[in-house]
Amino acid sequence: METLISSLKNTWNNLSLPTRIAGGVIVLAAFISLILIAVLSGPDYQPLYTGLSLSDAAEITSTLAENGIDYSLSDNGSTILVPSDLVYQTRITLAAKGLPSGGVVGFETFNTTRLGETEADRQLRYRVALEGELTRTIRSLDEIEDARVHLVIPPSSLFVRDTQPSTASVLLRLKPGTSLSQQQIRGIAHLLATSVERLAPENITIVDTRGNVLNDFSSANGINSSAVSQRLEMKSAYEQQLAANIRAMLERVYGYGKVVALVSVDFDFDVIEQYQEIYSAPTRDGGLIRSEQRFNEYYFDDLLASGVPGVETNIPGYVQVDPEQGGVMRLESIINYELNRTEIHQSTPAGSIRNMSVSIWIDGELSQADIDAIEASVAGALGMKTDRGDYVSVAAVPFQSDFSFVSSEEVIALSSESSWLYLVIIGVLVAFLVIVILRQIRIQKSQSQLEQGIEIAAAVDEPDEELSLEEKEKVDVMRRLRQYSNERPKEFAQMIRSWLLDD
């Protein structure tokens, strides 16, 4: 073995410098190729689940180990990778076992019956299961990465006055670069309110992981922040819609990108309810009779009994009385008419427009007639009213057009060019280092040859009897070279330079 190693060393030492460098490059390339083959020939791992909690990751890895499935972990244990051909089958197997559970327990906890469980224990399990189901539902939103739900459900009472309302708190962790709109936050609040008994939206608090309260139904200093944010969203959306309509109308005439429009709308969010009762007297022609009373009175003097005796004359009946026979007649009539009453119920909803102002800039030069025509067209298109203070301003201003915009294709081309430039720079640096190393090796070799020459030159001055035959030949050559260098120094220097270049 030692003989083989020594022979390899001698063989390596006898090789020239370029041969050694080429051999080292070949060995290095073979080593890298073996590493790549070992890496690429292994199984292709694909993510099974990402963003797992530690509890879910522990349960899943334990199940994979029991089933004999190879896996690997990444992202500090939050991502589990398995061979690509086992991804879907493994997910189905884990789903059958309720994994990943997200660190919560749902209504599947009632699939098993517990002996000796009291009603209080059952209520506690129900609350925990309800929290878990709500957590899973909220996590299904695209913008939410994780969620926690806490419920407080007081026990029911036989008396309504003693019944306490339920409360809830929600902690949300949003995905990077995402945010929730007020409409989505209200949707989460109403989802919880309709899922939990005696839970009102104003008793729900939604907080993100930074401690920001996302919903605030409670009023502070008489101000409802949720209602204010909703009104601001409505105002902004309406203004943007009107501005887009103006740009779409004017860009058809003046060209794309040559119109800038801004709209400001002042809304009246006050709710006004009016109730009026108006009474008016009946007309002369009369009206609706409410009540009527009539009195007829007759008085007679010296009125004697008359008639035929018998039954017929004693039957009550109408007796014609002649006032001229000394009687008095009195007639009285009272008629009450209904008063004319008008009831008016009027309700003005929130969101009416107090006034509106529009500012428009157009690229180019316009005459006053054109500006007036634009103002009239915009006022008519938006339904503006001068009596409520609406205002339109149109100005013709030359736009700045010397901006340099870079398209995505140009960005990709620039990035590719910069990458090639980096590769060229790296190649030049590597070549420079190789040249410096080779030059250093040549200098060291020339120094060693110079030292050998000095030793031989020293041996030239010594007597020839002490030298061997080979050494005498070298001494003879050195004497000739010394004589040649003394006689022709320039030619000798040129010869030495050519030898070094050949090496």
Side-chain angles (χ1 to χ4, degrees):
M1 187 66 181
E2 295 179 357
T3 306
L4 179 60
I5 294 174
S6 61
S7 63
L8 290 175
K9 288 182 179 180
N10 294 331
T11 304
W12 177 260
N13 294 329
N14 294 331
L15 295 176
S16 62
L17 181 61
T19 305
R20 294 180 182 179
I21 294 174
V25 171
I26 293 172
V27 172
L28 181 62
F31 181 71
I32 295 174
S33 300
L34 292 175
I35 294 176
L36 292 176
I37 291 172
V39 172
L40 297 178
S41 61
D44 182 18
Y45 281 88
Q46 295 293 332
L48 180 65
Y49 291 108
T50 59
L52 294 172
S53 61
L54 295 180
S55 59
D56 285 341
E59 293 180 1
I60 292 174
T61 53
S62 177
T63 305
L64 294 177
E66 292 177 358
N67 295 333
I69 300 175
D70 295 334
Y71 66 89
S72 63
L73 301 176
S74 63
D75 298 336
N76 297 324
S78 62
T79 300
I80 299 178
L81 298 94
V82 297
S84 59
D85 56 342
L86 299 176
V87 171
Y88 302 107
Q89 183 62 38
T90 306
R91 287 179 181 174
I92 294 173
T93 303
L94 294 174
K97 297 183 179 181
L99 296 175
S101 62
V104 296
V105 178
F107 284 117
E108 65 272 7
T109 184
F110 289 98
N111 294 334
T112 58
T113 303
R114 299 181 181 180
L115 298 176
E117 185 179 29
T118 62
E119 183 62 25
D121 297 337
R122 188 175 180 82
Q123 291 295 332
L124 179 60
R125 275 211 299 165
Y126 172 77
R127 182 177 61 81
V128 173
L130 184 58
E131 291 177 353
E133 294 293 338
L134 292 174
T135 300
R136 293 173 181 175
T137 304
I138 295 174
R139 284 176 180 174
S140 62
L141 296 178
D142 295 335
E143 293 82 4
I144 296 177
E145 183 176 353
D146 196 5
R148 290 290 302 273
V149 178
H150 301 279
L151 300 176
V152 177
I153 306 177
S156 301
S157 176
L158 296 176
F159 301 97
V160 177
R161 61 187 179 186
D162 296 334
T163 302
Q164 299 294 327
S166 302
T167 59
S169 59
V170 182
L171 177 65
L172 300 178
R173 183 171 66 191
L174 303 179
K175 294 180 180 179
T178 60
S179 61
L180 293 176
S181 63
Q182 286 296 323
Q183 185 67 23
Q184 291 174 313
I185 295 173
R186 288 192 295 271
I188 295 174
H190 286 285
L191 173 67
L192 269 69
T194 54
S195 302
V196 181
E197 184 180 6
R198 303 193 309 275
L199 180 59
E202 56 268 16
N203 294 331
I204 300 173
T205 302
I206 302 176
V207 185
D208 61 4
T209 52
R210 296 182 179 179
N212 300 320
V213 179
L214 302 182
N215 73 319
D216 189 4
F217 292 104
S218 61
S219 299
N221 298 326
I223 299 176
N224 192 330
S225 60
S226 178
V228 171
S229 61
Q230 183 178 2
R231 293 172 181 178
L232 292 177
E233 286 182 2
M234 185 183 73
K235 181 176 184 296
S236 177
Y238 187 70
E239 290 175 349
Q240 292 177 5
Q241 180 182 0
L242 294 182
N245 294 338
I246 295 173
R247 286 194 298 270
M249 179 181 67
L250 296 179
E251 285 179 350
R252 296 290 299 273
V253 179
Y254 298 99
Y256 178 77
K258 294 188 177 182
V259 178
V260 176
L262 295 177
V263 180
S264 177
V265 181
D266 184 12
F267 285 96
D268 184 7
F269 292 102
D270 296 334
V271 179
I272 301 175
E273 293 184 358
Q274 295 181 350
Y275 173 76
Q276 295 181 351
E277 288 188 3
I278 301 174
Y279 295 91
S280 61
T283 60
R284 292 183 178 181
D285 297 335
L288 182 63
I289 298 176
R290 183 177 183 180
S291 63
E292 182 178 0
Q293 296 179 358
R294 292 185 180 183
F295 299 94
N296 296 331
E297 296 180 354
Y298 301 97
Y299 298 95
F300 302 98
D301 293 335
D302 299 330
L303 184 61
L304 299 177
S306 61
V308 179
V311 179
E312 294 181 358
T313 57
N314 292 325
I315 296 175
Y318 178 75
V319 180
Q320 182 70 28
V321 180
D322 188 2
E324 294 180 358
Q325 297 181 357
V328 177
M329 182 177 63
R330 177 175 175 266
L331 301 176
E332 182 179 353
S333 177
I334 299 174
I335 301 175
N336 294 322
Y337 293 94
E338 284 285 357
L339 295 177
N340 295 332
R341 185 181 67 171
T342 304
E343 293 185 2
I344 299 176
H345 296 268
Q346 185 177 4
S347 177
T348 303
S352 60
I353 298 176
R354 289 197 183 102
N355 55 69
M356 181 190 308
S357 59
V358 181
S359 298
I360 301 173
W361 293 272
I362 298 178
D363 185 15
E365 297 181 358
L366 299 176
S367 62
Q368 187 61 38
D370 294 336
I371 294 176
D372 295 339
I374 294 173
E375 291 179 353
S377 300
V378 172
L382 300 184
M384 304 180 69
K385 301 177 181 179
T386 57
D387 55 350
R388 68 182 181 187
D390 295 349
Y391 179 74
V392 180
S393 175
V394 179
V397 180
F399 289 180
Q400 190 71 21
S401 60
D402 57 351
F403 297 107
S404 59
F405 296 97
V406 181
S407 62
S408 59
E409 292 80 5
E410 294 178 353
V411 171
I412 294 174
L414 290 175
S415 62
S416 61
E417 291 178 0
S418 60
S419 61
W420 281 108
L421 181 61
Y422 294 150
L423 292 177
V424 171
I425 294 174
I426 293 173
V428 171
L429 292 176
V430 171
F432 178 75
L433 292 176
V434 171
I435 292 173
V436 170
I437 293 172
L438 293 177
R439 184 177 180 84
Q440 188 68 24
I441 293 173
R442 289 182 179 180
I443 292 173
Q444 292 178 357
K445 186 176 181 181
S446 62
Q447 288 179 355
S448 62
Q449 291 178 354
L450 182 60
E451 291 176 357
Q452 292 179 0
I454 292 173
E455 293 177 356
I456 296 173
V460 170
D461 297 333
E462 295 178 358
D464 295 341
E465 292 77 6
E466 298 178 359
L467 300 177
S468 62
L469 181 60
E470 183 178 358
E471 292 176 351
K472 289 181 180 180
E473 292 179 357
K474 291 181 179 180
V475 168
D476 186 33
V477 172
M478 290 300 299
R479 288 176 180 175
R480 293 180 182 179
L481 289 175
R482 178 181 292 181
Q483 182 179 1
Y484 184 76
S485 63
N486 292 329
E487 294 177 356
R488 299 178 180 180
K490 292 182 178 181
E491 295 178 357
F492 181 77
Q494 184 66 26
M495 182 179 63
I496 296 297
R497 189 179 295 110
S498 63
W499 287 354
L500 293 176
L501 292 176
D502 292 338
D503 293 337

